[in-house]
Amino acid sequence: MQQTIFTTPAGMQDLLFEESRARRQVEKNLTDLFAGRGFAEVMTPGMEFARTVAASSAAMPEEELYKLTDTRGRLLVARPDNTIPIARMVASRLRGEIFPVRLYYAQTVYTLNHGLYGHRDEEFQVGVELLGAGGAKADLEMIALAASAMKACEAGDFRLEIGHADVFNSLIGELPVSDDDRATIRELIENKNYAALNTALDALPESDAVRAIRLLPRLFGGEEVLETLRPLIGSPAAVAALDSLSSLYRALVALGLGDQLMIDLGMVHRNDYYTGVIFRGYLEGSGEIILSGGRYDNLLSRYGMDMPAIGFAIHVDSVAKLRQSGDASRPVPQVLIHAEAGFETAALAEAEAMLADGVVCEVSPFETTEQARAYAESRGISRLWTVGEEGNE
Amino acid sequence: MKPLRIALTKGRLESKTLDLFDQMGLDTSVVRNKGRRLILPVGDSIEVVLAKAADVITYVEHGVCDLGVVGKDTITEAGGSFYELLDLGFGKCRFALAAPKDKEFFGGYATKTIASKYPNVTAAYFAKKNMDVRIIKIEGSVELAPLLDLADGIVDIVETGSTLKENGLEVVEEVMPISARLIANTAALKLRKAEIEALLDQFEKLL
């Protein structure tokens, strides 16, 4: 026991000074943006019933959930994601509301990572959900908002990529494959494992759908990738997906996002969860996915409320890491106010006055001026302000 | 423009990759005369980082290296989230299940004990067979475990099979083929698409 009382559990960490300041700043930029665009904040509890999470279409891997039980032995999980609890909440508490409902959140999620690879088990996310709005207009608004959010991170150049769940889902639907093979092929596309994908597809009779799937992992870039795929697709759902990506792309270029925008037709992650457009954001200088989101029209129906929805989350810790100035020292106030005996209240009034002037001050808890001066010197506080008989100095 | 940073698994995969760089006309002399340095330039556009196999994956996953060259054995054992872009075709060998020659491995109802340096590969392989086995992780020469009667069989990398033979073991079944792979960080492939694709094209032409 002695060895562990000073350490934090794997994947969890304290944030001191600069680290917490950087996180708060990103949080503030984002929540200001979302609030200004008519999204209202909600908070959900740190724990959910495991059953609630399992009911979702999100397929959270069981081994990655932090679990415990309540007083009646029911299985609880530490909030593994923000969208599932919000879907649960909307389907129960907001059932009678006027839709669409726009919500934002700023809270942590928990993932049980195995092995010491330096992943975060506790992660802070800020995100938005637009509930009860389907269609191209909502897609465009949310992707444009995602771009604004990437800008609001104020952490340098970014890229935003868009894809569509129906591209892969309708192509794979044309192939004579088992569910297992389907999962394998999906994973090979997601990992852009060109070699193994070809091997897996070689076992199937050659068709346009097979040729199209072979290409998917390489189809990322500008608008031209849509035209590369177009001759190989026939199903109405896939055609509609390409058309919607095409018009989204043009609209986003018209918004001045041409240099940041990419299309990736090989984005097939969580393909049972996302039902339409999918998007991700990256920041120059970070190897992590900074923003992820998409349309999830099937999730709410799992909670008895059939309704379209689209949302995204920003992985704030990854952004904050880029924004840290490198100065990890403890902040130093500008002034130390020391009260001589009998002038304690006067000193507090001085502190209030300085606060009003925007001067950062600390009030001295020391008995003597000498002690206060020694403290100010060792902390590097440039001004000692004594309040006493002789007036202030 | 900062150079593309590529992590190479020290040893054979490193020298094979350097051979490919040579064929591309890149200057690998600094890496070949590296001394003890671990981060070295190849030409102007590439920076090489030398690491142990599992660390190559860690560096690429975190994005401190854009690309990596690592064996499929390590990828399968360690997992992780990154793009696996190319089978480089060298460093070929296979994972195999091996057991003492004279025994029928799959016979009998007793739960089998398997020794391996690769417990995840072993667990996945037997799970696919719906076979419940006891797995013991061994760090060194795995062939010892069945000889000492600790295990009924081993799952290990097999190249020629001569080590197995000399220790009275034989391959029962091949688990999977292995070769070197070029992997990429997810964000790097998107942020540095043109550079990475150009390098990928050059690799593909040489294979």
Side-chain angles (χ1 to χ4, degrees):
Chain A
M1 282 314 273
Q2 279 298 330
Q3 295 143 327
T4 57
I5 63 170
F6 291 119
T7 56
T8 55
M12 315 265 173
Q13 66 180 99
D14 301 320
L15 298 180
L16 272 72
F17 313 131
E18 168 70 2
E19 287 173 314
S20 70
R21 192 200 59 75
R23 183 207 269 192
R24 282 283 183 230
Q25 189 60 55
V26 177
E27 176 189 358
K28 185 178 182 311
N29 289 359
L30 291 171
T31 53
D32 284 354
L33 169 69
F34 298 147
R37 291 287 297 271
F39 290 79
E41 185 173 18
V42 290
M43 296 183 185
T44 67
M47 313 272 170
E48 294 281 342
F49 282 119
R51 209 187 277 182
T52 304
V53 172
S56 84
S57 45
M60 313 296 287
E62 194 183 3
E63 65 272 19
E64 292 177 8
L65 300 171
Y66 271 95
K67 303 172 202 75
L68 62 166
T69 55
D70 72 0
T71 53
R72 292 160 67 185
R74 293 176 297 188
L75 198 56
L76 307 179
V77 298
R79 184 174 48 226
D81 152 273
N82 284 307
T83 305
I84 294 168
I86 287 177
R88 187 240 337 118
M89 184 193 71
V90 168
S92 53
R93 311 269 313 262
L94 298 179
R95 191 170 275 272
E97 267 299 330
I98 300 163
F99 284 92
V101 164
R102 291 164 192 272
L103 303 174
Y104 80 82
Y105 55 82
Q107 53 189 24
T108 48
V109 295
Y110 296 86
T111 312
L112 183 50
N113 288 299
H114 299 267
L116 297 170
Y117 297 114
H119 297 299
R120 294 184 191 93
D121 278 29
E122 182 182 54
E123 209 217 329
F124 189 70
Q125 297 184 347
V126 175
V128 282
E129 315 289 357
L130 171 53
L131 302 128
K137 272 189 180 172
D139 288 352
L140 176 61
E141 182 200 341
M142 291 302 273
I143 296 171
L145 185 62
S148 304
M150 293 300 292
K151 277 181 205 149
C153 288
E154 291 174 350
D157 281 348
F158 70 91
R159 291 276 195 299
L160 197 65
E161 56 173 1
I162 57 176
H164 202 293
D166 280 346
V167 174
F168 171 74
N169 285 349
S170 65
L171 284 171
I172 196 80
E174 292 177 34
L175 301 186
V177 290
S178 67
D179 284 356
D180 279 355
D181 290 343
R182 180 191 162 111
T184 306
I185 291 172
R186 191 202 65 78
E187 198 181 318
L188 295 173
I189 296 173
E190 179 173 1
N191 298 336
K192 297 209 187 292
N193 193 334
Y194 306 146
L197 177 66
N198 280 332
T199 312
L201 293 174
D202 283 344
L204 298 168
E206 199 63 21
S207 67
D208 276 350
V210 168
R211 278 185 281 272
I213 289 180
R214 236 183 256 280
L215 282 178
L216 281 187
R218 288 176 192 265
L219 291 180
F220 60 100
E223 208 183 358
E224 73 282 355
V225 302
L226 299 175
E227 298 323 310
T228 310
L229 190 65
R230 209 177 275 279
L232 295 176
I233 56 163
S235 89
V239 172
L242 290 194
D243 287 345
S244 87
L245 284 178
S246 176
S247 59
L248 268 175
Y249 189 88
R250 283 180 193 162
L252 292 164
V253 169
L255 276 171
L257 293 167
D259 290 342
Q260 283 81 31
L261 197 60
M262 292 178 86
I263 296 174
D264 185 356
L265 297 177
M267 262 203 289
V268 295
H269 60 291
R270 305 179 76 185
N271 71 312
D272 294 325
Y273 174 70
Y274 287 124
T275 57
V277 65
I278 322 168
F279 44 101
R280 276 179 171 170
Y282 303 95
L283 279 169
E284 199 76 61
S286 173
E288 295 172 275
I289 295 165
I290 300 294
L291 179 149
S292 57
R295 175 164 286 288
Y296 52 96
D297 289 349
N298 290 340
L299 179 64
L300 270 294
S301 67
R302 301 293 185 111
Y303 301 98
M305 194 174 189
D306 195 3
M307 190 166 74
I310 178 171
F312 63 85
I314 295 102
H315 304 267
V316 173
D317 297 304
S318 307
V319 183
K321 205 167 108 191
L322 287 180
R323 287 179 48 122
Q324 280 164 32
S325 60
D327 174 18
S329 59
R330 181 177 158 201
V332 178
Q334 292 163 279
V335 180
L336 179 67
I337 303 176
H338 179 73
E340 288 177 5
F343 289 85
E344 290 80 3
T345 49
L348 289 176
E350 280 295 325
E352 284 295 320
M354 284 190 195
L355 177 67
D357 290 343
V359 176
V360 181
C361 66
E362 241 180 62
V363 177
S364 146
F366 300 102
E367 283 300 321
T368 68
T369 312
E370 285 64 42
Q371 285 172 321
R373 179 165 294 120
Y375 169 77
E377 266 169 29
S378 64
R379 283 289 322 276
I381 303 171
S382 53
R383 267 180 81 195
L384 176 67
W385 186 255
T386 51
V387 183
E389 307 226 5
E390 328 253 298
N392 306 334
E393 62 166 65
Chain B
M1 198 70 195
K2 73 178 179 181
L4 268 183
R5 196 180 270 172
I6 174 164
L8 303 184
T9 303
K10 278 193 258 187
R12 195 169 47 160
L13 299 192
E14 166 196 341
S15 63
K16 290 275 187 190
T17 313
L18 291 180
D19 292 346
L20 289 179
F21 284 151
D22 281 337
Q23 291 176 47
M24 290 176 193
L26 295 168
D27 176 12
T28 60
S29 57
V30 183
V31 190
R32 293 193 188 272
N33 306 302
K34 56 185 175 275
R36 292 183 179 212
R37 286 161 65 199
L38 296 171
I39 305 183
L40 305 129
V42 168
D44 300 327
S45 57
I46 293 177
E47 192 169 63
V48 158
V49 173
L50 301 174
K52 269 188 83 160
D55 299 341
V56 167
I57 292 182
T58 305
Y59 292 141
V60 170
E61 215 182 351
H62 283 277
V64 292
C65 293
D66 302 302
L67 297 167
V69 173
V70 62
K72 186 67 181 172
D73 49 328
T74 313
I75 293 177
T76 316
E77 178 65 19
S81 159
F82 46 80
Y83 293 136
E84 188 180 323
L85 297 180
L86 201 58
D87 183 343
L88 292 166
F90 50 77
K92 273 202 169 121
C93 48
R94 60 201 166 126
F95 269 126
L97 167 67
K101 240 183 182 141
D102 43 357
K103 284 186 195 155
E104 174 61 36
F105 177 81
F106 288 110
Y109 287 103
T111 301
K112 300 287 186 285
T113 300
I114 310 295
S116 183
K117 268 184 252 186
Y118 302 90
N120 295 333
V121 170
T122 307
Y125 168 68
F126 283 103
K128 228 177 178 176
K129 288 180 154 329
N130 289 326
M131 230 178 116
D132 213 3
V133 296
R134 192 168 146 245
I135 298 168
I136 300 183
K137 178 151 193 218
I138 298 289
E139 301 287 346
S141 305
V142 189
E143 297 82 8
L144 266 176
L147 294 182
L148 298 173
D149 236 357
L150 176 69
D152 299 299
I154 64 173
V155 168
D156 203 15
I157 293 176
V158 177
E159 279 177 68
T160 59
S162 54
T163 315
L164 293 180
K165 210 168 173 187
E166 281 175 33
N167 288 292
L169 304 171
E170 64 179 3
V171 169
V172 177
E173 221 174 78
E174 177 165 330
V175 176
M176 65 178 290
I178 294 168
S179 58
R181 305 301 161 100
L182 180 71
I183 63 171
N185 173 264
T186 314
L189 184 65
K190 301 301 166 60
L191 293 166
R192 312 188 68 175
K193 177 178 188 288
E195 296 158 82
I196 292 177
E197 284 192 328
L199 185 65
L200 201 61
D201 280 349
Q202 286 186 286
F203 271 130
E204 279 182 328
K205 273 187 204 132
L206 293 172
L207 298 175

